Amino acid sequence: MRIAYQYKLRPTKEQAEKIEKILDMLRHQYNYMLAERFYWWEQNRCPINACPLICHLPELKDRP
């Protein structure tokens, strides 16, 4: 038989403020990274019926 426990947090006023500040910082970071992904997608997308002709390959070695 599995038993599940539930805990209810009751932070103090200072702890609640600190938690809110941390969550606010995390939300800003998430939104910033999401905006970067959208910006990259907008800069690098191409039409569906076409594929890019430029392909980046690593440098070839003299003696493989």
Side-chain angles (χ1 to χ4, degrees):
M1 176 197 296
R2 292 184 128 178
I3 299 175
Y5 295 100
Q6 289 185 346
Y7 297 95
K8 189 168 189 172
L9 296 177
R10 292 189 178 106
T12 63
K13 186 176 180 182
E14 295 85 21
Q15 290 172 334
E17 289 174 358
K18 195 169 189 176
I19 291 170
E20 285 295 321
K21 186 176 181 180
I22 291 170
L23 290 175
D24 191 45
M25 289 178 4
L26 290 173
R27 187 181 75 249
H28 285 286
Q29 180 71 19
Y30 175 82
N31 288 336
Y32 176 78
M33 298 302 287
L34 185 63
E36 276 194 352
R37 288 184 71 179
F38 277 120
Y39 177 74
W40 180 88
W41 185 74
E42 285 290 331
Q43 297 300 316
N44 294 309
R45 69 178 174 170
C46 61
I48 293 174
N49 61 352
C51 65
L53 298 176
I54 298 172
C55 182
H56 299 286
L57 297 174
E59 294 288 330
L60 297 176
K61 296 181 180 177
D62 290 337
R63 295 183 182 189

